[in-house]
Amino acid sequence: MKKTTILSVLTAAMITATSIGTFAIWDIVTVDSRSNTVTMRNPVTVSDSTLEQNISADANTLNPASVIASGSVKFNVANEDSVAKKLTLQESIQASEKLEETTDYSIVFSGDGVSGKTDSSVTDGTEEYNYTITFTQSGLEKMKTNANACTVKVTATLS
């Protein structure tokens, strides 16, 4: 071997030995942090606690222009940390076909904090709402094919 080759090999070996020897056995070069506990807040939920109702509506006249019916819904809101601020109500009225608001009926919700279809005073606990539905002639026509009956369902959405 040439002297230059031997010198190159020795130089590489010295650099490697220096790199390996940079850290002594007592040096600490890696550490784990302490464990941190993540606690999630209580979940916010809404559930239905409405008792099934049989609501009857009488027109008291022949061929009425409209018929009024009233009912109520009740929801349990789990909102311990007051995360939810509003509860939006949306009805669905079904006979042999779906009835459309303004064309087939109008609805008014009432209860603490309710304006239109929104309750802006949601708390942690039971929320109860009353509703009054005024069926128009087109809504009454749709119910004729369903034995003059319909089902009312109210969906509550927290935000």
Side-chain angles (χ1 to χ4, degrees):
M1 268 207 277
K2 293 183 183 179
K3 287 183 183 181
T4 56
T5 306
I6 293 172
L7 188 56
S8 295
V9 170
L10 286 175
T11 303
M14 290 304 291
I15 291 172
T16 304
T18 303
S19 296
I20 293 172
T22 302
F23 301 109
I25 200 151
W26 56 83
D27 291 337
I28 300 171
V29 295
T30 303
V31 66
D32 288 331
S33 71
R34 289 184 172 81
S35 297
N36 294 312
T37 302
V38 176
T39 304
M40 301 293 178
R41 67 169 168 71
N42 293 320
V44 176
T45 61
V46 61
S47 58
D48 180 29
S49 62
T50 305
L51 297 175
E52 190 172 339
Q53 305 165 41
N54 288 315
I55 302 167
S56 61
D58 291 322
N60 296 327
T61 63
L62 292 176
N63 299 318
S66 63
V67 174
I68 296 174
S70 297
S72 64
V73 291
K74 191 183 294 187
F75 299 102
N76 290 323
V77 179
N79 187 29
E80 281 183 43
D81 300 322
S82 298
V83 175
K85 305 295 183 202
K86 296 189 305 185
L87 189 136
T88 304
L89 303 168
Q90 183 59 54
E91 78 286 345
S92 173
I93 303 178
Q94 185 78 36
S96 57
E97 58 185 289
K98 184 176 179 179
L99 277 70
E100 299 297 327
E101 189 173 11
T102 67
T103 306
D104 301 323
Y105 70 91
S106 62
I107 188 166
V108 175
F109 288 98
S110 60
D112 291 340
V114 174
S115 177
K117 294 184 179 185
T118 303
D119 179 354
S120 296
S121 65
V122 175
T123 59
D124 181 46
T126 302
E127 300 286 344
E128 186 167 4
Y129 307 99
N130 295 313
Y131 58 83
T132 302
I133 304 168
T134 303
F135 294 98
T136 64
Q137 284 187 339
S138 74
L140 295 171
E141 285 296 320
K142 287 181 179 179
M143 286 192 288
K144 279 184 183 179
T145 59
N146 197 50
N148 290 325
C150 66
T151 57
V152 178
K153 187 183 290 188
V154 178
T155 302
T157 305
L158 288 169
S159 58

